[in-house]
Amino acid sequence: MGTMNKLRWAMDGGFWDLDISTPVTLEGEARAVPGHPLPLGVSRGTKLSRPKQTDFFQRFMFAPFLPSYSYSPASRSHSFNLQRCLAIPLSQDWFSMLQGQFNLHKFVSSFRKRRTLLQSSDSQSSSLIPAICACLRDKSLYALGIYSELSLTPQDTLVLSSDANGNDDTPPRRKAVLHHEFPDHNLTLEAASPSLFLDKSGNYWDVPLSLALDLASIPSSSGASYHFCMRHIAGLPKLFEGGDENHGKTIPATLLPGITLRHAISFKKNLEIWRSEAKKLKMVQPFDIFLSTPHVSASGIIGAVMTASHGDNSVASEVDDSQSTAAGFSYRSHALKSAVHADLFSSVSFMAQHGSFQKWFLDLTRFHVRLNFPSGRTFLSGATQLAHDFVNSQQPTNKALEAICPSATVSLQQQIVGPFSFRVDSGVIVGLNKQTNWYAHAHDPVFAIEYALQVLGSAKAIAWYSPKHREFMVELRFFET
């Protein structure tokens, strides 16, 4: 639960590298590249690990396989995978699981090629069986992983995982995570080799070795929170499934070898504008108890973050900063290959819900919008320039106007019928073109169909698709509002 609390805090602020659901690996997760915020639609809510999700779908939803789809631009290959697992309960405090994956799309493509060759050679239909067997002997169709969770003490949990596929060129993925719960804090220690990261352009990067320490205060609805993270990266990142080439892609500066320390403190305030006092339907349980009260609310966060880095990441990040509009207070030493960066950040959220999610039709409509101001210095600089232009009766510059424009995230959810609802999450980019005309367009939308598991109070099975990343997954999530 410590990791999940950390993720919820990160979702509120949007300034930390999140765990992200992805079908490109058997583990089913990656991290956002530090400094590359992504829409919440692809980020993880409070949920089980991927192997436990698969086990839940098999046991309680009678799903023999869990499907997923992905497309790899580096290898230009499609993957439609079917996953299944085998639980191994070793003891009350030790739980292990074997997880397997079969690439159905690659099997069908391979079989069609063999069938075409057989037809061109006038072979008998009986030769189809050997062709199927030959296709099934292809090791690249399969992936196998082992997941083990050991409860050391009531406050300590150790998670070990390892998975590999049949490609000889792809090294196995290994990870060890230790969670410790303090009374008011959560501590996470993580070692992964390789570790998978996703940048804002949709490229996946494999870091040879990543070591991380994360300490976060338990989030509250209002009040102060703080977060400390230390990450060490060893080795030069490579494009995922790109072989020895990066195909012209530039490695994100924050993924280069080095050590990074980041510390932030923030203050959050929730404001309840309106909450319905109407009585709910008697003897009818809501499909989701957390979505059973119509309301209108708002929240705001303001905080400060300081980042210190040492190594190649601090030198290369100077180039990124010179090309970025976000420029906080920085100090760099080329001789020591070190850098320190500090800035303010803030965000404002608005939430509205209609309906109590009890009836079978049109009883849930939810809207959520969040405005992020990732750099206080950039915003103040732009506001000062605009004030100067206004006092001097000058035409505001595009740069000053864009500096005060926040990044936005919008989410809309609508009940379809019964426990089924449709949801779309998307970033929104607002800016000015050369003709000084305002424009706005959706960025990285994610579409989802959700099925509320009424018997569990607040849980749902969700099938989502990302057009930008060309990814599809079926997942299980809990207590996500």
Side-chain angles (χ1 to χ4, degrees):
M1 185 61 68
T3 301
M4 300 311 173
N5 286 331
K6 179 199 72 174
L7 295 176
R8 179 61 59 189
W9 191 95
M11 289 173 69
D12 289 337
F15 303 100
W16 296 87
D17 47 332
L18 304 177
D19 282 344
I20 299 169
S21 297
T22 175
V24 300
T25 64
L26 188 60
E27 182 188 19
E29 67 180 49
R31 280 186 175 271
V33 171
H36 291 211
L38 301 172
L40 298 185
V42 294
S43 61
R44 299 181 57 184
T46 306
K47 65 177 189 177
L48 299 174
S49 64
R50 187 63 176 172
K52 285 189 174 182
Q53 289 185 60
T54 307
D55 182 61
F56 180 92
F57 277 103
Q58 291 177 193
R59 290 174 178 266
F60 303 106
M61 301 189 71
F62 308 104
F65 301 99
L66 203 59
S68 65
Y69 167 80
S70 64
Y71 173 77
S72 173
S75 59
R76 297 182 179 180
S77 61
H78 299 263
S79 297
F80 183 81
N81 299 311
L82 300 177
Q83 296 180 355
R84 187 170 175 82
C85 69
L86 174 64
I88 309 175
L90 300 175
S91 67
Q92 184 176 358
D93 299 325
W94 190 4
F95 180 83
S96 294
M97 189 176 299
L98 290 176
Q99 188 176 16
Q101 178 175 279
F102 178 73
N103 192 332
L104 181 61
H105 183 277
K106 189 172 184 178
F107 167 75
V108 173
S109 299
S110 177
F111 175 72
R112 285 178 176 175
K113 291 180 181 179
R114 286 184 175 272
R115 186 177 182 181
T116 301
L117 292 175
L118 289 174
Q119 291 176 347
S120 62
S121 60
D122 297 329
S123 299
Q124 300 297 323
S125 59
S126 59
S127 300
L128 291 178
I129 301 301
I132 294 176
C133 294
C135 292
L136 292 176
R137 285 196 294 267
D138 184 1
K139 295 188 297 182
S140 64
L141 297 176
Y142 307 95
L144 182 65
I146 183 169
Y147 173 91
S148 185
E149 183 175 309
L150 177 62
S151 179
L152 304 176
T153 69
Q155 294 79 32
D156 296 279
T157 303
L158 178 64
V159 178
L160 302 174
S161 63
S162 177
D163 61 76
N165 57 37
N167 292 325
D168 297 331
D169 298 334
T170 305
R173 317 185 73 88
R174 300 184 178 91
K175 179 184 287 187
V177 182
L178 176 64
H179 299 293
H180 179 78
E181 295 185 3
F182 291 102
D184 299 314
H185 309 81
N186 294 313
L187 175 66
T188 302
L189 301 175
E190 178 185 290
S193 176
S195 184
L196 188 66
F197 288 83
L198 173 65
D199 66 21
K200 60 185 178 182
S201 300
N203 302 311
Y204 286 97
W205 297 90
D206 261 336
V207 172
L209 176 64
S210 173
L211 305 175
L213 180 149
D214 194 291
L215 178 66
S217 60
I218 295 178
S220 59
S221 58
S222 294
S225 298
Y226 67 88
H227 197 152
F228 173 78
C229 180
M230 178 175 65
R231 180 175 296 277
H232 173 68
I233 291 178
L236 196 64
K238 293 183 179 180
L239 194 65
F240 178 73
E241 292 188 346
D244 295 329
E245 300 180 2
N246 290 333
H247 300 273
K249 307 294 183 179
T250 301
I251 299 175
T254 51
L255 292 186
L256 292 175
I259 186 169
T260 302
L261 306 177
R262 182 177 296 182
H263 182 264
I265 183 170
S266 67
F267 298 89
K268 181 180 180 181
K269 178 63 178 180
N270 284 337
L271 175 63
E272 187 172 274
I273 302 174
W274 171 80
R275 180 170 291 269
S276 174
E277 297 181 357
K279 294 183 179 180
K280 297 181 174 63
L281 298 177
K282 295 183 179 180
M283 307 298 293
V284 178
Q285 180 182 349
F287 293 107
D288 191 317
I289 59 175
F290 285 173
L291 305 179
S292 61
T293 304
H295 67 278
V296 177
S297 62
S299 65
I301 296 176
I302 186 170
V305 59
M306 183 178 71
T307 304
S309 56
H310 173 72
D312 295 341
N313 53 357
S314 63
V315 177
S317 62
E318 183 175 7
V319 178
D320 283 4
D321 290 346
S322 64
Q323 301 172 351
S324 175
T325 58
F329 300 93
S330 300
Y331 171 78
R332 302 181 186 277
S333 173
H334 293 278
L336 299 177
K337 298 180 70 174
S338 302
V340 177
H341 181 90
D343 207 346
L344 301 175
F345 64 86
S346 65
S347 68
V348 179
S349 299
F350 176 82
M351 165 77 75
Q353 176 179 324
H354 170 74
S356 57
F357 210 19
Q358 288 183 290
K359 302 176 183 178
W360 277 79
F361 299 98
L362 303 177
D363 197 28
L364 177 67
T365 301
R366 300 176 72 240
F367 174 77
H368 176 265
V369 60
R370 191 185 72 194
L371 304 178
N372 287 329
F373 300 86
S375 173
R377 183 179 180 183
T378 299
F379 179 83
L380 293 176
S381 176
T384 302
Q385 183 62 45
L386 287 178
H388 179 271
D389 295 338
F390 178 78
V391 170
N392 294 276
S393 300
Q394 297 177 352
Q395 182 71 21
T397 63
N398 289 4
K399 184 178 181 180
L401 291 172
E402 291 180 346
I404 65 171
C405 290
S407 61
T409 301
V410 177
S411 177
L412 177 65
Q413 183 176 0
Q414 175 63 54
Q415 181 187 21
I416 302 174
V417 57
F420 291 94
S421 62
F422 172 78
R423 176 175 171 179
V424 57
D425 292 3
S426 178
V428 178
I429 295 180
V430 179
L432 286 168
N433 56 27
K434 294 181 180 179
Q435 290 76 30
T436 67
N437 295 321
W438 289 97
Y439 69 88
H441 63 83
H443 172 66
D444 203 354
V446 177
F447 303 94
I449 297 295
E450 299 184 356
Y451 175 76
L453 302 177
Q454 189 178 21
V455 68
L456 297 180
S458 182
K460 57 189 176 184
I462 175 173
W464 60 263
Y465 176 71
S466 171
K468 177 181 178 180
H469 302 284
R470 301 175 71 174
E471 295 179 351
F472 164 82
M473 286 188 77
V474 177
E475 296 187 274
L476 180 70
R477 297 191 179 182
F478 292 93
F479 312 119
E480 187 180 61
T481 58

